Structures are given as C-alpha cells and as structure tokens.
Amino acid sequence: MTSSTQTFVLVPGAWHGAWTWDGIVDRLQAAGHRAIAVTLDGLETEPTVDGASANLDTHIVRVLAALDAGGPGPITLCGHSYAGFVIAGAADRSARPVHRLVYCDAFVPADGDSWWERANEYYRERVIAGARADGRTAAPRVGADPRTRPHPMPSFLQRLRLGDGIDRVRRRTLIYASGWASTTPLRGQYERLRSDPTWEVHELAVGHEVMNEAPDELFAILTDGVDARPDRASTSAFSQVDLRRSTS
C-alpha cells in the first residue's frame, strides 16, 4: 500500500450480495487499493431466520462496521440501486467521515424518503409479486442470477432519517445508466442533478447492472481515470460513455 492507496467500500443493491462486485474488487486490489464488498443482512448465501426482518437501519449498521474496518486514508463509499439509501445513511452516521459517495445507478435519497416511495410502479408491483410466498421477503425475478436471494421487505418500507452528518462528504458522484429507460425509476433524479454544480454526474449507455456491463468505465470513474472535461465522450469495448460532469 502507498500514500495514494484508497479504500473502497462497495454495497450491492436489492437481492444481491457482495459477489456482484467481484470483478471490480479484483481490479481495485490489483491497482493497489483496499476494496471491501459488503453483503447486507438477509442476503447471505444461507440467510438466517432473522434476516427476513432486516430493515434499512440494519443494513446501515452493517455498512458502518465495514467503514470501521476500512483502514487509514480516504474512503469512497459506493452503492448500487437500493443501496443508495444505505450509503447515504451510513455516511450520515459514521464516526469516520466518508470522503466520497458514489451512487452507481442508485437512488439518491433525502431525509424521510423510503425505497417504496421512490421506486416506480414497475418495481413496486415486482416486489408485491415476489412477497406472495411468505409476506416477509420479496423473491428475486425469474431468471435472475442463482446467487440472488429474497430481499427483506422491511428495508424497502422504512423511511431514511438523515441528519447533518452527510454534509461532511466532500464529493458526490452519480452514475446514471440510460440503457434501460423503459423501466428505470432513476431518470428524474439524473435530470435534476446533472446541472447541479455540487455533483459529478456520468451517463453510461448501459443497463442497470453497471458493474457487469461497463466495468472499464466504472473502474475509471471510481479511480478518477475518466476525462473530467464536460461533454467529452469516450468509447470502450463495453459501451459508449456520455460524460457530463460538474465539479464543486
């Protein structure tokens, strides 16, 4: 490890575990960084009975433990999809300030928001259908990766409470995946934040699974390898990046 080493704590979205970040973890570690991928309560390979009752606070506490284990130096906290709620709550409550938040095609919540309210009808109906088996968890979609697990319902329903701790975060980055426009609930926040000078905003023309569909671009954004000039496009074998970035 060198003085330029960063620590990355990576949080998966609903139904997924730490495994979803395996490729990015490998690349970060190969580049000399620390990388910690978190599996949230109830999403373990063998979920416990108590896991079905995990709520948003439970998940935030899990990430706070990972932040405590992060080692010295600045920490980047990155969350995918639902985990936008989790990383916001963890950054707000952490005794150790988070240097950067990266919302990887993730919800950017405000105080009092819940996933249920911020999601669209497509996802609410999907969760309701998935909860019919036991009423406590929402099953993954048919055909999903076999490693996905039923997601605890309370975490979808609980409102996030934020104080002023999140204001300590120096950098906030949004990655918006535009390749699933017909079902994404995240277009509105992208339109709102793309012109906000306090945010760094990137648009990737890929689907929701950014870490699998655009690993080169995601790695570059996480490690600041993307050209920072506005309206500059770059191309890789995975996708075209439409980069619109403002820095505070």
Side-chain angles (χ1 to χ4, degrees), residues 207-229:
H208 189 41
E209 299 290 331
V210 176
M211 61 287 292
N212 297 321
E213 296 189 41
D216 287 355
E217 292 85 349
L218 177 56
F219 175 79
I221 291 169
L222 288 173
T223 58
D224 282 334
V226 172
D227 190 337
R229 286 174 289 177

Side-chain angles (χ1 to χ4, degrees), residues 91-138:
D92 183 62
R93 302 180 196 181
S94 178
R96 177 182 183 180
V98 172
H99 175 74
R100 183 187 187 194
L101 285 173
V102 178
Y103 295 84
C104 181
D105 211 35
F107 291 95
V108 179
D111 178 50
D113 283 350
S114 70
W115 179 94
W116 186 260
E117 291 176 331
R118 290 287 304 275
N120 55 18
E121 282 303 310
Y122 172 84
Y123 272 97
R124 283 191 287 266
E125 290 175 5
R126 177 175 157 186
V127 166
I128 290 170
R132 288 173 182 159
D134 62 11
R136 303 176 65 203
T137 61

Side-chain angles (χ1 to χ4, degrees), residues 39 43 45 49 58 71-72 100 136 163 185 227:
T39 294
L43 284 304
T45 302
V49 174
T58 311
R100 183 187 187 194
R136 303 176 65 203
D227 190 337

Side-chain angles (χ1 to χ4, degrees), residues 6-54:
Q6 300 181 59
T7 295
F8 296 86
V9 176
L10 309 169
V11 187
W15 298 288
H16 291 66
W19 50 266
T20 198
W21 294 106
D22 283 353
I24 297 297
V25 166
D26 289 345
R27 294 182 69 159
L28 289 170
Q29 291 178 341
H33 301 293
R34 303 179 189 89
I36 302 170
V38 179
T39 294
L40 299 173
D41 300 69
L43 284 304
E44 302 90 350
T45 302
E46 297 294 336
T48 65
V49 174
D50 291 342
S53 63

Side-chain angles (χ1 to χ4, degrees), residues 11-13 79-89 102-104 106-109 160:
V11 187
H80 180 239
S81 195
Y82 154 79
F85 282 87
V86 182
I87 65 171
V102 178
Y103 295 84
C104 181
F107 291 95
V108 179
L160 176 66

